[in-house]
Amino acid sequence: MTTFDDRERSYEAKFAHDANLLFKAEARRNRLLGEWAAELLGKSGEDAKSYALTVVSSDFEQPGDDDVFRKLAGDLEGHADAATIRAKMAEMMGEAKKQVIDEAK
């Protein structure tokens, strides 16, 4: 085994680890967004949890964040505008990354 092989394995492991953390952070962000949106819609308890899961599952429709944005924009019409939703998406991504990293420690 050469140093190059060791280094290559190390980079591959780091890439896989980072991709896994990003996946978890995006799912966490979507759940947090779902909880925020549920509150705006006046949902609580199990109804709010169920709604948050629909936001998480909406992310599997196509790559990227547009599917989540479309879901929220449609559901929050009259409650939040596009700029507010985008800002909340960015805010929640930061919070989700922090939570996932803290849990990984």
Side-chain angles (χ1 to χ4, degrees):
M1 189 81 33
T2 66
T3 303
F4 180 76
D5 292 334
D6 291 342
R7 186 174 283 175
E8 183 179 18
R9 276 193 192 72
S10 174
Y11 285 128
E12 288 172 355
K14 182 179 179 345
F15 178 82
H17 177 74
D18 290 349
N20 186 41
L21 286 179
L22 181 60
F23 175 79
K24 288 179 180 180
E26 286 175 346
R28 176 76 53 93
R29 179 212 50 198
N30 294 339
R31 184 180 54 83
L32 293 170
L33 283 168
E35 291 170 356
W36 167 75
E39 186 178 326
L40 286 179
L41 294 169
K43 298 178 185 290
S44 61
E46 286 301 314
D47 197 26
K49 286 181 183 179
S50 177
Y51 177 78
L53 289 176
T54 66
V55 174
V56 171
S57 64
S58 74
D59 192 26
F60 300 121
E61 292 174 13
Q62 66 184 38
D65 295 335
D66 288 339
D67 42 1
V68 173
F69 175 78
R70 276 194 308 277
K71 163 97 174 117
L72 291 171
D75 292 349
L76 295 176
E77 193 170 323
H79 296 280
D81 62 5
T84 302
I85 295 169
R86 293 269 185 210
K88 192 54 96 168
M89 288 177 80
E91 175 189 336
M92 292 299 185
M93 188 59 170
E95 177 62 27
K97 283 181 179 179
K98 180 182 176 299
Q99 288 180 10
V100 168
I101 289 170
D102 288 347
E103 289 173 2
K105 291 181 180 178

